[in-house]
Amino acid sequence: MQFVEGTVAGLPTPTAEGLLYQAAAAETTPLLAAHKAGPEDVKPLRYRDILRAIDTHIQAFASDSLMQYFAEVDVTPFSGIRAWFIKILSFSSNVCQKRMLTVDGGGAWLTYIRPGQDTKPHRLIQLIVSGLNRITAREAVKRREEVFETIGGMVKSTFGENAHNMYEIQGLATAPELQGRGYGKALVNSVITMAEADGHDIWVTTSDARPFYETLGFCVLQTRLVGMNNPAWKREPVSVYLMQRTSIKASHNPI
């Protein structure tokens, strides 16, 4: 169900699934007798890692609250195959643009956007993904648009055009059996290191991973609910958070 990145009111917007990726990043599993990840373990994701990265995503978000908001209505024929193929295309585009990091060859991964980076995928990928999304259930499309509008509204009202001058963490996932080893923390810290070196802030939208990001210095700026006014959604509304980590360098050098 991943959708190639779009924009809302001219601002970069995470994919719907990009938001979903955030929830399973928290390192909550008890520490196993295994290597604790550090900066030296973070590598660029390679094309040969993509299939494992997709498997990581599927496992990590099987019970995520926002994933459930999408998954329960994605019931069109071959929806699983369609979603898997879209992930292949999207991940390949991200790897080509050199904005995907990993620990353990896809066992944990992070997607990010650098300030001013053009993330538009190849035209052919856009056409294929657009065609595949046309056969998505109408309710699934409605929920996707709701999430896009929610995120876009938060980003625009909080950052305006300045969002282009910030780093964005667009996706983060760790396989369940690897959680508790610091993989997610190492990946996020890699982006923090880049942002600090450049003097840029970082923003992220997340649902269940709010506590994880707070341990790394991110603060909640806005909270919105999705599903609250959708009669087809029978569960509690899902909270979506816009969070920011302010660069130490930027905070000491006000414009």
Side-chain angles (χ1 to χ4, degrees), residues 9-217:
L11 295 174
T13 309
T15 63
E17 197 165 40
L19 176 60
L20 305 179
Y21 292 154
Q22 312 297 340
E27 303 288 346
T28 55
T29 304
L31 180 63
L32 305 177
H35 171 70
K36 197 74 172 179
E40 68 280 0
D41 297 300
V42 177
K43 310 291 184 184
L45 190 83
R46 298 164 294 184
Y47 289 106
R48 69 185 188 187
D49 300 327
I50 288 176
L51 293 182
R52 188 181 180 201
I54 291 174
D55 186 58
T56 292
H57 161 71
I58 293 171
Q59 293 183 59
F61 295 96
S63 60
D64 175 67
S65 56
L66 193 56
M67 174 65 81
Q68 293 302 313
Y69 187 61
F70 287 90
E72 74 164 17
V73 292
D74 193 19
V75 294
T76 52
F78 308 108
S79 59
I81 295 175
R82 185 186 72 249
W84 183 84
F85 190 56
I86 290 175
K87 291 184 186 75
I88 287 282
L89 295 173
S90 298
F91 279 40
S92 297
S93 179
N94 294 341
V95 170
C96 180
Q97 295 171 356
K98 303 184 186 304
R99 57 188 191 88
M100 217 165 171
L101 303 174
T102 187
V103 174
D104 197 11
W109 54 262
L110 177 148
T111 305
Y112 69 102
I113 300 176
R114 294 180 291 275
Q117 183 177 14
D118 182 7
T119 61
K120 185 178 295 185
H122 190 279
R123 178 61 177 166
L124 179 59
I125 292 180
Q126 293 184 67
L127 291 173
I128 294 173
V129 172
S130 177
L132 290 171
N133 282 331
R134 288 196 183 97
I135 58 176
T136 303
R138 183 173 298 180
E139 178 64 22
V141 173
K142 176 183 175 181
R143 295 185 185 190
R144 177 186 66 188
E145 292 175 347
E146 177 190 6
V147 171
F148 274 156
E149 291 174 1
T150 298
I151 295 171
M154 288 194 293
V155 173
K156 184 177 181 180
S157 63
T158 303
F159 302 128
E161 291 299 320
N162 193 49
H164 295 290
N165 299 318
M166 302 168 67
Y167 279 80
E168 177 194 351
I169 294 177
Q170 197 174 43
L172 177 64
T174 303
E177 71 274 14
L178 299 178
Q179 292 180 16
R181 304 184 187 186
Y183 288 9
K185 181 178 179 180
L187 288 164
V188 174
N189 278 336
S190 292
V191 177
I192 291 174
T193 298
M194 287 186 278
E196 288 293 351
D198 295 341
H200 290 286
D201 296 347
I202 310 170
W203 67 274
V204 62
T205 49
T206 186
S207 54
D208 296 354
R210 170 185 170 178
F212 168 74
Y213 283 106
E214 287 178 332
T215 66
L216 295 174

Side-chain angles (χ1 to χ4, degrees), residues 162 165-166 192 195-202 217 219 244-255:
N162 193 49
N165 299 318
M166 302 168 67
I192 291 174
E196 288 293 351
D198 295 341
H200 290 286
D201 296 347
I202 310 170
C219 298
Q244 177 184 11
R245 188 183 191 281
T246 302
S247 166
I248 296 175
K249 183 183 293 187
S251 65
H252 285 81
N253 293 278
I255 297 175

